[in-house]
């Protein structure tokens, strides 16, 4: 019924609907959802998976596997509960404790490999045993401070963390719940919106990240194109989507978000694919020079002298040759590095 209503309200959704039969919406435990999304900050799926696995194994309750599942696991080649991902792993050597031999170990810290047993997600009271130092040692990075801080803040609530989070679900409006969560360490508007949508029954919540921002400005609020993604603009995006899809706009947004995933987008007809946004070129402003023509000529001559031993490279003078002493490899500009590694998205 919802999909039919959305299709009537939005021509794009009507065209997408035959290609996207539907998606499941989670209604997670609020604490599990909140801390999982704190782990998601500037992160990727496999590493988030690993962090959640480690939280469960270290602080959660071990679950007893029933006979049917136990037999099924024994019948598989990989009885760990989750398929392992093939990947190239970095090799590192370490000294064995009892002898002088060395052993190559595979570094899979970031891949979130399954741990073999099943654990519940820890409650807030169980997470209280996790110190920031412990979490940093387990690979959580700067998120360790946010997890420990959020646990401490929730534990100080008058009736306890569980009662407080339950009150956000049953007694607060979406915006009230989002604002309350935003007071916790490491929780911004997007993480708060995710927790509201996937655990607090706030069906209109729209978690706005760069992907949602792109599809929204392309199809629903073109007037916001080019603006910085501030909390105020995030609210404007949310309002625009709610205006189209109504009280369950968050559910509709989830379907639209799935349509932006690379493997799903590739299967869509060309006319339904959101066009990729062109990357803006960074322009370096030219600095005005107060040098006199004579000084400039002198500087050029000096550069030419050094150039006899080296060469001009990407606008930077190469270092002296070994014969002249103090040799070091010339640094490449960002443009040169990008040309060498055109596929890198981090340059």
């Amino acid at each position: 019924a919802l999909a039919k209503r959305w299709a009537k309200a939005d021509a794009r959704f009507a065209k997408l609907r035959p290609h996207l039969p539907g998606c499941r919406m989670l209604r997670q435990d609020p604490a599990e959802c909140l801390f999982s999304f704190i782990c998601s900050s500037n992160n990727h799926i496999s590493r988030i998976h690993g962090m959640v696995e480690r939280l469960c194994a270290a602080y959660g309750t071990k679950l007893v596997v029933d006979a049917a599942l136990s037999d099924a696991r024994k019948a598989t080649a990989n009885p760990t509960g989750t398929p392992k991902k093939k990947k190239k792993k970095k090799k590192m050597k370490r000294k064995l404790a009892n002898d002088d031999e060395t052993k190559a170990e595979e570094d899979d810290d970031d891949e979130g490999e399954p741990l073999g047993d099943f654990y519940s997600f820890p409650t807030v009271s169980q997470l209280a045993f996790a110190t920031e130092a412990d979490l940093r040692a387990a690979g959580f990075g700067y998120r360790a401070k946010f997890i420990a801080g959020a646990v401490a803040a929730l534990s100080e609530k008058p009736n306890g963390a569980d009662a407080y989070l339950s009150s956000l679900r049953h007694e607060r409006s979406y915006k009230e719940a989002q604002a309350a969560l935003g007071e916790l360490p490491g929780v911004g508007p997007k993480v708060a919106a995710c927790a509201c949508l996937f655990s607090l029954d706030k069906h209109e919540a729209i978690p706005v990240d760069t992907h949602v921002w792109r599809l929204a400005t392309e199809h629903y609020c073109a007037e916001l194109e080019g603006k910085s993604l501030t909390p105020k603009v995030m609210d404007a995006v949310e309002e625009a989507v709610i205006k189209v899809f109504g009280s369950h706009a968050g559910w509709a947004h989830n379907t639209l978000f799935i349509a932006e995933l690379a493997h799903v987008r590739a299967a869509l007809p060309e006319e339904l694919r959101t066009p990729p946004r062109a990357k803006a070129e960074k322009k370096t402003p030219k600095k005005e020079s107060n040098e006199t023509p004579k000084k400039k000529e002198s500087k050029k001559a000096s550069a030419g002298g050094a150039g006899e031993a080296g060469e001009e490279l990407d606008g930077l003078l190469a270092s002296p040759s070994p014969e002249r002493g103090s040799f070091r490899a010339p640094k490449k500009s960002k443009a040169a590095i990008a040309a060498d590694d055109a596929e890198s998205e981090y340059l």
Side-chain angles (χ1 to χ4, degrees):
L2 285 174
K4 290 181 180 179
R5 190 192 313 166
W6 297 332
K8 288 181 180 179
D10 180 46
R12 173 171 171 76
F13 192 95
K15 293 176 182 178
L16 283 172
R17 190 182 172 197
H19 305 281
L20 299 170
C23 60
R24 288 185 173 88
M25 288 291 297
L26 292 178
R27 189 179 187 261
Q28 284 184 293
D29 171 79
E32 177 179 358
C33 186
L34 176 63
F35 287 101
S36 296
F37 276 108
I38 290 176
C39 290
S40 75
S41 174
N42 293 319
N43 220 339
H44 56 79
I45 292 296
S46 59
R47 194 158 184 260
I48 298 166
H49 178 199
M51 288 181 176
V52 172
E53 290 263 7
R54 290 195 287 277
L55 282 180
C56 294
Y59 305 103
T61 301
K62 189 173 181 178
L63 303 177
V64 177
V65 179
D66 62 24
L69 181 56
S70 180
D71 291 341
R73 293 178 71 199
K74 289 177 182 177
T76 64
N78 171 34
T80 55
T82 306
K84 289 189 176 182
K85 180 180 178 181
K86 292 182 180 180
K87 68 184 185 76
K88 292 181 180 179
K89 298 179 180 179
K90 296 178 182 178
K91 300 278 187 177
M92 65 179 183
K93 289 184 177 181
R94 69 172 174 87
K95 291 265 186 182
L96 294 180
N98 298 326
D99 53 42
D100 295 327
E101 295 178 8
T102 59
K103 179 181 179 181
E105 291 187 326
E106 292 181 337
D107 177 18
D108 59 355
D109 184 56
D110 286 351
E111 289 301 321
E113 293 292 354
L115 302 176
D117 293 311
F118 294 95
Y119 298 84
S120 65
F121 193 89
T123 63
V124 175
S125 59
Q126 287 175 317
L127 281 175
F129 292 98
T131 66
E132 181 182 343
D134 290 339
L135 293 171
R136 284 188 179 275
F140 286 77
Y142 68 87
R143 302 166 197 83
K145 180 179 180 180
F146 295 148
I147 293 171
V151 168
L154 288 171
S155 300
E156 292 174 359
K157 298 299 179 183
N159 296 318
D162 292 338
Y164 176 72
L165 292 173
S166 179
S167 72
L168 296 185
R169 175 185 277 179
H170 299 293
E171 301 171 15
R172 303 285 189 92
S173 69
Y174 162 46
K175 284 302 179 183
E176 288 172 341
Q178 185 186 38
L181 291 175
E183 295 174 0
L184 299 174
V187 180
K190 183 209 165 183
V191 169
C194 287
C196 285
L197 178 62
F198 297 116
S199 71
L200 298 182
D201 298 344
K202 312 307 179 189
H203 309 306
E204 72 272 34
I206 310 290
V208 181
D209 61 6
T210 54
H211 304 288
V212 175
W213 163 251
R214 185 165 65 89
L215 77 88
T217 53
E218 180 70 28
H219 303 291
Y220 303 105
C221 45
E223 69 278 6
L224 298 177
E225 173 72 32
K227 297 196 177 211
S228 299
L229 192 54
T230 62
K232 184 177 180 180
V233 172
M234 292 168 79
D235 286 341
V237 170
E238 195 169 56
E239 289 171 9
V241 178
I242 290 174
K243 185 177 180 180
V244 175
F245 296 104
S247 61
H248 283 66
W251 292 32
H253 133 276
N254 208 39
T255 302
L256 296 171
F257 180 83
I258 288 173
E260 299 301 312
L261 297 177
H263 69 284
V264 177
R265 187 173 64 247
L268 293 174
E270 185 69 31
E271 65 273 14
L272 293 182
R273 301 176 194 173
T274 299
R277 180 167 296 176
K279 292 184 178 180
E281 294 184 4
K282 293 183 179 180
K283 295 183 179 180
T284 305
K286 293 183 179 180
K287 294 182 179 180
E288 293 185 5
S289 175
N290 295 324
E291 294 178 338
T292 63
K294 288 185 177 180
K295 285 184 178 180
K296 287 184 179 180
E297 289 176 7
S298 175
K299 205 166 188 178
K300 284 182 180 179
S302 175
E308 293 172 5
E311 61 179 348
E312 197 73 23
L313 178 64
D314 296 323
L316 299 174
L317 187 65
S319 302
S321 67
E323 291 80 5
R324 301 285 290 271
S326 303
F327 177 78
R328 59 183 174 83
K331 293 182 179 179
K332 288 188 177 182
S333 67
K334 287 187 176 181
I337 296 173
D340 290 342
D341 188 9
E343 295 183 356
S344 175
E345 60 182 89
Y346 302 104
L347 298 175

